[in-house]
Amino acid sequence: MILNSKIPEGPLEHKWANYKKTAKIVNPANRKKLDVIVVGTGLAGSSIAASLGEMGYNVKSFCFQDSPRRAHSVAAQGGVNAAKNYKNDGDSVYRMFVDTIKGGDFRAREANVYRMAECSLNLIDQAVAQGVPFGREYGGYLNNRSFGGVQVSRTFYARGQTGQQLLLGAYQALQRQIGKKSVQLFSRHEMLDLVVVDGKARGIIARNLDTGELERHAAHTVILATGGYGKIYYLSTLAMGCNGSAIWRAHKKGALMASPSWIQIHPTCLPQSGDYQSKLTLMSESLRNDGRIWVPMKKDDARDPNTIPENERDYYLERRYPAFGNLAPRDISSRAAKERIDAGYGIGPLKNAVYLDFSKAIKEQGKNKIQEKYGNLFDMYLKITGYDAYKQPMMISPSAHFSMGGLWVDYELMTTVPGLFALGEANFADHGANRLGANSLLQASVDGYFIAPYTIANYLANEIRTGKIASDTPEFDEAEKNVRQQIDQFININGTKTVDYFHKTLGKLLYDYCGLARNAEGLRYAIAEIRKLKEEFYKDVKVSGSGNAMNAELEKAGRVADYFEIGELMCYDALTRNESCGAHFREEYQTPDGEALRDDVHYQFISAWAWTGENNEPELVKEPLVFEEIQPTVRSYK
């Protein structure tokens, strides 16, 4: 298979404009003839559903939550990037493009990244018009702060609730279209399979989570905006319901999966406190603007942090990366924390954390200023831990967070299945091997508001003569039959171990061998163990209840079954990339001082994987990365 990324001709700064000039459009009178399915109601899903509804298409919107407002976009705290240069500190679209390409360790397409930076200028105006309450300076101007991996202030924020506020804006737009009957909402519905007819995506099989009923939904195009699969590690910053099943079922129907092993471990998370936990709590990366990260210089130091003298503290990010200090990118900051913890300098009851200290910032700026910027985050920390971060340092630790990998898409955000689009974190497109903070909300928003409305219309222009898509076809019959068989299989196993047991076991295996660090021996071991665990799952999992009613354990079983296969592919992807880049740190490939050692000669490509069947090795398809505007260099933040 040869992958066609469909990158437009012309200079980098003109590619998107050139695409829009030549893209096909659909006559407004014809849009009501076309049906669109959108799976997911986070920022990407709500924004594209609202946009297409406003344009006049018939849209069906699906989410497994009870309301689109509960999509996981609400959890993004610190901000959203835009190259507005309001601080007059040298920012520009081009600088943002360079920062993002470099932050991803030169493993992303230039054209996609530049377009994201270019579209960022429109997003802030759009959000302000929707009523998003961005932080402002005393004079009323929108304020900015810095995030990791950059040296300018380009992050717009609404205290520590930016994702929630942006989602409320998209949700209002979506609800308006629901009220106008241009969008039909199916909450508490989970997509369980993609239906492909004559090579094109033509619908989905969904399960009503309240009744257990299987439903067929047909359309001219299907859009997946279902987020990432970081919950595969079990303990992560993601909500319990987050999963990779929608994109994985599409993968098994022909959509290639790209760079699955590139999963971000966030450096600023509350540490695990016990085996009882089902998730970990994210603390915004924005805290690193004013907080200083350190560990004691003495191993196993149990002293109160406020009593440890300054000359007995190791501000290791400031020591190792003086140019960026505490604003080093996430992958580098997480590995540096792990290195200190593994070396015996960790703090807290389980010795699994480092300090994030605000004493200097409070002394210089005053408590009120810090409270104004981060008050709700400090309140959350106090509520969860019982400690007051105004009086003593926070304890933080790395945790699984964001999937840079996802479904392979071309410049139009279409997968290798014609008519199937993937937006936001569900695709691999914009972040390379490491995502810079505050680019997640940006990508999801611009995909839905400013990019996909053009590219989907370009596809649908050829569908106006197709007529209504029928759901009583052999392809829908087969897909529904397969879904029903899997549900019955889970119910009938009647084993002795819970779904959570298998999820926790898989998560620990992946964290140990395909997490912050990987090596060939460990990855081969993990593949073998995942296969054993999967075999045990299908013999001994206990799913109580019925397949024809509300059943949370059944939902989890389907998602964990997919996680076994996603996890195996993650390990294959990591094993076949004999280099270190971004979040992919192979211990065999590092510099003498422990930094990632990239191999541009042999691995300057995107790894796209094709499904070849149960228990078969996946097929690797390479998309070469061509850099015309900037040449890859050694990634240094020192």
Side-chain angles (χ1 to χ4, degrees):
M1 179 186 293
I2 297 175
L3 296 173
N4 179 8
S5 57
K6 299 182 189 172
I7 297 172
E9 297 295 325
L12 190 62
E13 63 272 19
H14 296 155
K15 288 184 184 297
W16 182 229
N18 288 343
Y19 177 88
K20 290 189 288 186
K21 280 193 295 189
T22 58
K24 298 173 186 174
I25 58 176
V26 180
N27 183 325
N30 286 327
R31 292 174 193 165
K32 277 296 174 192
K33 301 175 184 176
L34 296 167
D35 300 318
V36 178
I37 286 172
V38 180
V39 185
T41 57
L43 260 181
S46 287
S47 58
I48 188 57
S51 297
L52 294 178
E54 180 73 33
M55 293 165 72
Y57 296 99
N58 299 315
V59 181
K60 288 183 176 181
S61 173
F62 294 82
C63 67
F64 63 74
Q65 298 93 344
D66 53 7
S67 165
R69 287 180 59 179
R70 293 183 64 84
H72 198 61
S73 297
V74 301
Q77 300 164 334
V80 58
N81 286 335
K84 288 282 201 180
N85 196 32
Y86 283 174
K87 292 290 189 181
N88 198 29
D89 55 0
D91 202 9
S92 65
V93 168
Y94 187 81
R95 185 177 293 276
M96 184 174 176
F97 155 72
V98 172
D99 286 343
T100 304
I101 285 282
K102 177 185 175 184
D105 219 349
F106 300 92
R107 289 293 176 261
R109 284 192 208 124
E110 284 188 336
N112 287 69
V113 173
Y114 191 91
R115 179 176 62 181
M116 182 176 72
E118 184 181 355
C119 291
S120 74
L121 302 177
N122 299 324
L123 175 60
I124 303 305
D125 300 332
Q126 163 99 3
V128 169
Q130 289 178 332
V132 174
F134 286 126
R136 294 179 182 268
E137 295 176 336
Y138 178 76
Y141 294 107
L142 293 178
N143 206 352
N144 299 115
R145 55 191 178 201
S146 297
F147 255 55
V150 304
Q151 292 177 307
V152 297
S153 296
R154 70 164 64 103
T155 305
F156 294 78
Y157 62 93
R159 291 187 93 183
Q161 305 171 1
T162 315
Q164 182 182 40
Q165 297 302 326
L166 283 171
L167 184 64
L168 285 173
Y171 170 73
Q172 290 173 122
L174 176 64
Q175 285 295 119
R176 179 171 179 267
Q177 297 307 315
I178 293 170
K180 291 175 66 177
K181 311 285 189 207
S182 60
V183 175
Q184 189 178 2
L185 177 66
F186 294 84
S187 58
R188 297 284 298 150
H189 280 69
E190 182 171 24
M191 170 187 161
L192 294 183
D193 207 357
L194 175 75
V195 181
V196 178
V197 181
D198 296 330
K200 293 183 177 181
R202 291 304 196 196
I204 64 170
I205 304 297
R207 183 172 182 268
N208 183 321
L209 300 182
D210 290 331
T211 66
E213 181 184 359
L214 296 183
E215 300 176 4
R216 302 180 182 191
H217 296 272
H220 295 88
T221 186
V222 177
I223 303 165
L224 300 184
T226 51
Y229 49 92
K231 193 63 188 172
I232 195 169
Y233 291 100
Y234 190 75
L235 282 179
S236 78
T237 66
L238 285 83
M240 280 302 293
C242 293
N243 64 85
S245 287
I247 62 173
W248 190 251
R249 307 290 170 95
H251 171 64
K252 294 172 82 168
K253 286 296 181 74
L256 266 57
M257 190 85 166
S259 310
S261 68
W262 291 349
I263 296 189
Q264 183 170 82
I265 308 295
H266 198 293
T268 317
C269 178
L270 298 190
Q272 182 181 3
S273 57
D275 291 337
Y276 56 86
Q277 286 178 270
S278 59
K279 77 175 295 291
L280 299 173
T281 303
L282 176 68
M283 300 302 289
S284 170
E285 183 182 354
S286 63
L287 294 170
R288 292 200 280 150
N289 273 291
D290 291 299
R292 301 177 71 198
I293 294 173
W294 63 277
V295 293
M297 287 187 176
K298 189 174 90 175
K299 289 185 178 181
D300 299 319
D301 195 330
R303 287 179 290 175
D304 184 306
N306 290 331
T307 67
I308 299 177
E310 194 73 14
N311 62 354
E312 295 182 31
R313 301 179 177 190
D314 179 13
Y315 294 93
Y316 58 86
L317 288 178
E318 298 173 29
R319 167 172 58 83
R320 293 181 60 178
Y321 308 101
F324 282 73
N326 295 296
L327 289 177
R330 291 177 176 179
D331 58 323
I332 287 174
S333 301
S334 292
R335 280 198 298 273
K338 182 179 186 296
E339 185 274 328
R340 289 290 79 192
I341 291 169
D342 290 349
Y345 297 93
I347 54 91
L350 301 181
K351 304 298 181 185
N352 61 345
V354 298
Y355 288 124
L356 178 61
D357 194 333
F358 290 87
S359 57
K360 185 172 184 286
I362 291 172
K363 185 177 180 181
E364 292 175 350
Q365 302 174 40
K367 178 182 176 181
N368 289 343
K369 190 64 179 177
I370 298 302
Q371 195 168 23
E372 180 186 318
K373 289 193 275 189
Y374 313 114
N376 61 312
L377 296 171
F378 278 57
D379 291 345
M380 185 169 69
Y381 184 82
L382 176 63
K383 185 177 289 187
I384 293 171
T385 68
Y387 294 111
D388 186 345
Y390 294 109
K391 296 179 180 178
Q392 64 185 86
M394 286 184 180
M395 292 183 288
I396 59 168
S397 181
S399 174
H401 181 57
F402 185 91
S403 312
M404 280 77 67
L407 292 180
W408 183 93
V409 292
D410 59 24
Y411 189 75
E412 296 184 301
L413 306 184
M414 187 157 67
T415 69
T416 47
V417 175
L420 176 68
F421 293 80
L423 275 57
E425 196 179 351
N427 74 36
F428 86 104
D430 293 348
H431 307 297
N434 171 63
R435 177 175 67 79
L436 292 184
N439 270 350
S440 175
L441 294 177
L442 173 64
Q443 183 210 358
S445 297
V446 301
D447 279 2
Y449 286 127
F450 306 123
I451 298 172
Y454 285 96
T455 64
I456 290 169
N458 184 60
Y459 173 79
L460 289 175
N462 295 321
E463 295 291 328
I464 58 176
R465 295 177 184 83
T466 303
K468 212 70 173 161
I469 305 298
S471 62
D472 57 349
T473 63
E475 292 85 356
F476 274 90
D477 292 343
E478 181 70 15
E480 183 176 336
K481 184 184 80 171
N482 291 339
V483 168
R484 174 57 65 191
Q485 285 177 344
Q486 187 188 54
I487 289 172
D488 292 342
Q489 181 183 17
F490 291 147
I491 296 295
N492 292 329
I493 292 171
N494 200 27
T496 63
K497 293 187 173 74
T498 65
V499 176
D500 281 346
Y501 162 81
F502 289 99
H503 194 176
K504 287 179 181 179
T505 306
L506 174 66
K508 187 175 188 314
L509 189 64
L510 286 171
Y511 192 82
D512 289 345
Y513 297 104
C514 194
L516 269 169
R518 303 99 185 263
N519 60 61
E521 182 183 358
L523 290 165
R524 292 191 188 98
Y525 172 79
I527 290 170
E529 289 299 305
I530 290 171
R531 288 184 173 180
K532 289 180 192 173
L533 191 64
K534 177 182 174 184
E535 186 178 345
E536 183 186 0
F537 173 85
Y538 280 102
K539 289 178 179 177
D540 201 24
V541 71
K542 173 72 173 179
V543 178
S544 55
S546 163
N548 300 313
M550 184 185 294
N551 192 335
E553 283 299 299
L554 177 62
E555 296 166 34
K556 288 195 291 185
R559 296 164 188 171
V560 172
D562 293 331
Y563 277 152
F564 289 125
E565 295 170 349
I566 297 172
E568 189 173 330
L569 184 61
M570 284 168 55
C571 293
Y572 268 111
D573 186 49
L575 184 61
T576 55
R577 186 168 285 273
N578 294 325
E579 65 165 355
S580 291
C581 59
H584 170 62
F585 190 76
R586 281 284 295 272
E587 293 172 339
E588 306 96 320
Y589 306 101
Q590 55 181 299
T591 64
D593 56 349
E595 302 297 335
L597 188 60
R598 221 175 52 236
D599 183 352
D600 293 332
V601 174
H602 300 103
Y603 294 96
Q604 193 169 292
F605 60 81
I606 295 296
S607 301
W609 296 91
W611 173 257
T612 58
E614 194 83 20
N615 296 322
N616 294 334
E617 288 197 10
E619 177 189 351
L620 174 62
V621 184
K622 300 177 182 179
E623 182 202 339
L625 286 170
V626 179
F627 293 95
E628 297 175 348
E629 188 67 31
I630 55 174
Q631 290 306 306
T633 58
V634 174
R635 182 171 173 249
S636 175
Y637 292 91
K638 297 184 176 183

